């Protein structure tokens, strides 16, 4: 067994039981964005989070233990994603990445936005011309050090 087997079992249980990520997140006690990433194998659960997931998805003790192991992060199967939704994010970074970098450097200086000390919020934004996806990313600024 490995972490990917647990991920597959979680997805199967979610589909079989008609669960929503927002409801799963409430039961685990964290944001829907973080819990979804964790259930998909990208975050490390605490023991209590793993136990809550275990109850929801009928996981064994071994499967709950896998949820508590630091995962190999990065789940895309190819360098350039082929899934249309994920590809659009790749396209956003390809087109606007240099703009984002330039504006962050202008505002903060030479550094990066952390993907470790990070939060994300995804919401539906009603619009008469067709609903929009609102994504808010917030990462701690980390400056490069001179040494």
């Amino acid at each position: 067994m490995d972490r990917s087997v647990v991920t597959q079992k979680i997805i199967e249980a979610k589909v079989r039981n008609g669960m929503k990520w927002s409801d799963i997140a409430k039961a685990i006690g964290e944001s829907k964005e973080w819990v979804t990433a964790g259930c998909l194998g990208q975050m490390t659960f605490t023991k209590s989070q793993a136990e809550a997931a275990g109850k929801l998805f009928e996981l064994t003790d071994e499967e709950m233990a896998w949820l508590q192991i630091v995962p190999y992060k990065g789940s895309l199967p190819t360098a350039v994603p082929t899934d249309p939704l994920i590809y659009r994010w790749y396209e956003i970074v390809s087109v606007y990445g240099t703009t984002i970098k330039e504006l962050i450097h202008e505002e903060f200086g030479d550094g990066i936005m952390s993907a470790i000390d990070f939060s994300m919020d995804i919401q539906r934004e009603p619009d008469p011309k067709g609903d929009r996806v609102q994504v808010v990313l917030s990462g701690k600024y980390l400056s490069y050090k001179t040494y």
Side-chain angles (χ1 to χ4, degrees), residues 121-135:
D121 184 47
I122 300 172
Q123 299 293 328
R124 178 184 295 262
E125 185 179 310
D127 188 293
K129 297 178 187 173
D131 287 357
R132 301 180 67 82
V133 178
Q134 182 185 65
V135 180

Side-chain angles (χ1 to χ4, degrees), residues 16 18 31-32 42 45-46 53 56 62 67 83 90 105-106 110 141 146:
R16 182 176 55 253
S31 73
K32 70 181 180 296
Q42 297 300 305
F45 282 37
T46 64
L56 287 172
E62 180 183 358
L67 295 177
D83 178 277
Y90 179 82
H105 287 174
E106 183 174 272
D110 187 12
Y141 174 74
T146 303

Side-chain angles (χ1 to χ4, degrees), residues 66-109:
W66 277 104
L67 295 177
Q68 298 170 69
I69 294 172
V70 177
Y72 183 87
K73 297 185 189 243
S75 60
L76 298 178
T78 59
V80 176
T82 56
D83 178 277
L85 191 142
I86 297 172
Y87 177 79
R88 291 299 171 249
W89 280 96
Y90 179 82
E91 180 181 38
I92 289 166
V93 171
S94 294
V95 173
Y96 293 103
T98 54
T99 301
I100 293 166
K101 175 181 169 48
E102 183 68 22
L103 293 172
I104 288 172
H105 287 174
E106 183 174 272
E107 179 69 26
F108 294 91

Side-chain angles (χ1 to χ4, degrees), residues 25-70:
K26 284 178 191 167
I28 293 176
E30 300 294 342
S31 73
K32 70 181 180 296
E33 294 81 6
W34 189 89
V35 169
T36 303
C39 287
L40 296 178
Q42 297 300 305
M43 298 295 164
T44 307
F45 282 37
T46 64
K47 183 174 181 165
S48 63
Q49 291 164 339
E51 289 170 349
K55 289 178 187 170
L56 287 172
F57 302 117
E58 300 176 4
L59 302 177
T60 66
D61 288 343
E62 180 183 358
E63 291 164 338
M64 286 186 281
W66 277 104
L67 295 177
Q68 298 170 69
I69 294 172
V70 177

Side-chain angles (χ1 to χ4, degrees), residues 7-37:
T7 298
Q8 189 59 40
K9 185 171 180 178
I10 287 171
I11 293 169
E12 289 170 1
K14 179 187 177 293
V15 171
R16 182 176 55 253
N17 296 315
M19 299 170 155
K20 294 189 72 162
W21 289 118
S22 57
D23 296 328
I24 295 165
K26 284 178 191 167
I28 293 176
E30 300 294 342
S31 73
K32 70 181 180 296
E33 294 81 6
W34 189 89
V35 169
T36 303

